[in-house]
Amino acid sequence: MPSHHRVRAPMADAGMRGGLLSLMFVIIAFWALLTATDLRAQTQVNSSPPPIDGPAILVPTDFDQVRFYLITVDVGDSVWDNFGHTALRLVDDSTNTDLVFNWGLFDASIGNVRFAANFARGIMDYQLGVTPPGWELGRYQQEARTVWQDQLVLSNTQKQRLYERLAWNIRDENLVYEYDYFFDNCTTRVRDYLDEALGGLLSEQNRALTRSTFRDEVQAHYASRPLISFSLDVLMNERIDRRMTQWEQMFLPLELREQLDRAGLLTDQQVLMEFPSPEAGVDPYQMAGLLVIPGLLLLLCLRSASIASFSSQPGLSLRMPALSYRLLGLLGLVIALFSGVYGLIMSLGWLFSSHQDIHGNLNLLLFWPTDLFGVVVALRWLLTGRAWPVGSGRHQWVMTYFIIHIMAALVYLVIAIFGLSDQRVSDLLLFVLPVLAVFTVLVMTAGLSRVRSIRFG
């Protein structure tokens, strides 16, 4: 935020401010138009299995001795397991083979920092792991997650197709795949390979649209993690706001199990271990909406500011400043941190990440990376218990910044009301926008103490 030590001529300030506002409004409107039109294009990953080199694969002579089981793992209480998990179990009585095929592994040897950096950039190389069932199930026992095992109803021909696909997949050159949380994950791998073994019957029978969107499922599965649920809802764009087909919904382990059961493809159903599912936490939007209460209380504390010195200018301040400005500081700290961090993630993600679900997010009109500078101002309110004294030049820059913020919020509101974007933002409009509006009014009216620049000589 620029700082001026001396006040310019009033007409020069007005001209600069008016020109800057006009330019920024054009930029905001143009960006919003691009967002509202360009984001309508939907991108989907098509993950049909590649062809198999059949003759090179040795298959059992008697598939009556071969059984396949669907392993379904309930959601966990960690960030990475809130969608659940799916694996395949292969049992061949003729060779005493009993193995679990798990497509949810990644190379941890690169280190957590590098893995997180790759994930943020959209580089997600996952791979197939093949382990004995005791080792695989032991992990879920430690994680206290319910596990279901269901035998797949397959003909010998279908078993052979699936067996050949698994044999192809364990080759070194086929172990690693590019993970996509909606379209190519541990569950869709099992779904696609089963569909291949069934001759496309599974995909053919599940073309109908569901009533759920990807956003619905994200929020439902992170209900036990309110902060994660809220953050993902802010950070992900309109690509996740279209209704899923039944086929697409089977990216979820429990949905895949349910659809296979409906199709009569599961038998000998067992619960291998049972634990309670994670309980839903508080509604994050209701918690965010509660922030409007201290804001409204502070609005009731507004009063005419007294002129403390010759350099002061009249305006508004807050009653009981030692308490009220510290409360404003706490409110500002929360808003600046969340708004700035969300804006920074969305901006950097748009520029540097291949995650299409965070590109061109409409919420960038509300959450700006530059809001992080507000942390300094909020800390000043919190520590001093009084308004931030600023010179006239800096005061105009701060006012200009908030006016542009208001313009962006109005554009956001127009886009949402008139349906110019398919991105669902109703919760943000209802619970978050009022908080931001009240806070903006407080800052612009009482958060700053305008001080004259005095020149001698």
Side-chain angles (χ1 to χ4, degrees):
M1 195 177 301
S3 172
H4 297 287
H5 297 288
R6 300 189 184 278
V7 181
R8 300 189 180 191
M11 290 302 295
D13 274 335
M16 176 192 70
R17 181 172 169 180
L20 180 61
L21 288 177
S22 299
L23 176 62
M24 289 304 299
F25 183 78
V26 170
I27 292 173
I28 291 170
F30 180 68
W31 181 91
L33 179 63
L34 289 178
T35 301
T37 56
D38 184 59
L39 290 186
R40 293 183 182 273
Q42 302 293 343
T43 303
Q44 179 175 338
V45 177
N46 185 3
S47 57
S48 56
I52 301 174
D53 182 13
I57 295 175
L58 297 177
V59 299
T61 57
D62 184 7
F63 274 95
D64 285 331
Q65 302 295 312
V66 176
R67 301 186 305 279
F68 288 99
Y69 295 91
L70 179 73
I71 302 295
T72 306
V73 186
D74 197 10
V75 298
D77 200 26
S78 300
V79 174
W80 56 84
D81 58 23
N82 275 66
F83 283 102
H85 183 58
T86 299
L88 271 180
R89 184 174 182 179
L90 165 64
V91 178
D92 185 352
D93 292 332
S94 63
T95 58
N96 291 321
T97 299
D98 191 354
L99 297 171
V100 174
F101 290 73
N102 170 14
W103 284 267
L105 303 182
F106 57 87
D107 185 7
S109 64
I110 63 175
N112 293 335
V113 174
R114 184 178 174 186
F115 177 81
N118 286 344
F119 188 92
R121 292 165 54 202
I123 302 174
M124 296 182 290
D125 291 336
Y126 275 55
Q127 65 186 48
L128 168 66
V130 183
T131 58
W135 185 89
E136 187 73 20
L137 297 175
R139 293 196 300 121
Y140 309 129
Q141 179 81 30
Q142 293 177 351
E143 295 168 0
R145 298 167 67 186
T146 299
V147 179
W148 297 271
Q149 177 177 275
D150 308 294
Q151 185 175 347
L152 288 160
V153 179
L154 301 172
S155 67
N156 283 352
T157 300
Q158 293 165 345
K159 290 178 184 179
Q160 180 173 340
R161 289 177 188 164
L162 184 55
Y163 187 97
E164 289 174 349
R165 172 57 65 189
L166 296 181
W168 170 89
N169 212 157
I170 61 175
R171 294 174 179 170
D172 289 341
E173 65 271 21
N174 300 326
L175 284 174
V176 178
Y177 70 100
E178 294 183 9
Y179 177 90
D180 184 284
Y181 31 75
F182 293 137
F183 300 111
D184 198 355
N185 61 23
C186 61
T187 302
T188 63
R189 286 267 152 168
V190 175
R191 178 202 65 183
D192 293 348
Y193 293 167
L194 285 175
D195 186 54
E196 181 186 42
L198 294 167
L201 182 64
L202 191 60
S203 56
E204 182 69 24
Q205 293 179 345
N206 290 278
R207 292 181 174 180
L209 285 174
T210 70
R211 301 180 64 179
S212 299
T213 66
F214 291 100
R215 189 181 300 275
D216 292 330
E217 298 295 353
V218 169
Q219 289 186 305
H221 282 78
Y222 279 100
S224 63
R225 294 278 182 163
L227 179 59
I228 300 298
S229 174
F230 179 82
S231 299
L232 290 175
D233 196 41
V234 171
L235 297 175
M236 301 185 81
N237 61 28
E238 70 172 11
R239 289 181 76 247
I240 68 170
D241 283 319
R242 63 178 178 86
R243 289 166 60 190
M244 298 176 288
T245 64
Q246 292 173 331
W247 172 257
E248 290 172 328
Q249 195 174 32
M250 286 190 280
F251 85 93
L252 298 167
L254 293 177
E255 281 296 330
L256 175 62
R257 181 174 186 259
E258 182 177 342
Q259 293 297 340
L260 292 176
D261 189 33
R262 287 178 182 175
L265 293 170
L266 300 181
T267 187
D268 189 21
Q269 300 183 355
Q270 304 176 55
V271 181
L272 299 185
M273 59 188 75
E274 188 170 13
F275 299 94
S277 298
E279 294 184 0
V282 296
D283 187 328
Y285 278 101
Q286 291 182 3
M287 293 298 294
L290 290 177
L291 291 176
V292 79
I293 296 176
L296 293 174
L297 291 175
L298 289 172
L299 283 179
L300 296 176
C301 293
L302 286 174
R303 65 177 177 85
S304 297
S306 59
I307 300 178
S309 66
F310 179 76
S311 63
S312 299
Q313 292 192 358
L316 295 174
S317 66
L318 297 174
R319 295 183 178 88
M320 300 177 292
L323 175 62
S324 59
Y325 276 104
R326 286 187 167 88
L327 181 58
L328 180 63
L330 287 174
L331 183 62
L333 197 60
V334 172
I335 292 175
L337 279 173
F338 276 88
S339 181
V341 169
Y342 288 151
L344 187 63
I345 293 174
M346 288 186 285
S347 300
L348 294 179
W350 196 356
L351 292 172
F352 302 112
S353 175
S354 63
H355 286 295
Q356 297 296 316
D357 297 326
I358 59 175
H359 289 189
N361 195 318
L362 184 64
N363 293 329
L364 268 170
L365 288 170
L366 286 187
F367 305 108
W368 294 6
T370 48
D371 290 345
L372 280 172
F373 291 113
V375 171
V376 177
V377 182
L379 287 174
R380 184 167 187 141
W381 289 328
L382 190 60
L383 296 175
T384 65
R386 59 188 179 89
W388 178 30
V390 294
S392 296
R394 180 177 294 180
H395 184 271
Q396 288 188 344
W397 276 103
V398 174
M399 290 297 107
T400 299
Y401 181 83
F402 277 102
I403 290 172
I404 297 172
H405 235 317
I406 292 172
M407 288 182 172
L410 290 175
V411 172
Y412 181 88
L413 188 62
V414 169
I415 291 175
I417 290 176
F418 291 97
L420 300 179
S421 171
D422 291 331
Q423 184 168 334
R424 193 176 77 194
V425 295
S426 55
D427 287 336
L428 284 168
L429 287 179
L430 185 61
F431 295 102
V432 176
L433 193 58
V435 176
L436 298 179
V438 169
F439 177 73
T440 301
V441 170
L442 284 168
V443 176
M444 295 182 71
T445 55
L448 311 175
S449 175
R450 190 174 181 181
V451 179
R452 289 191 184 97
S453 296
I454 303 175
R455 300 173 63 180
F456 297 95

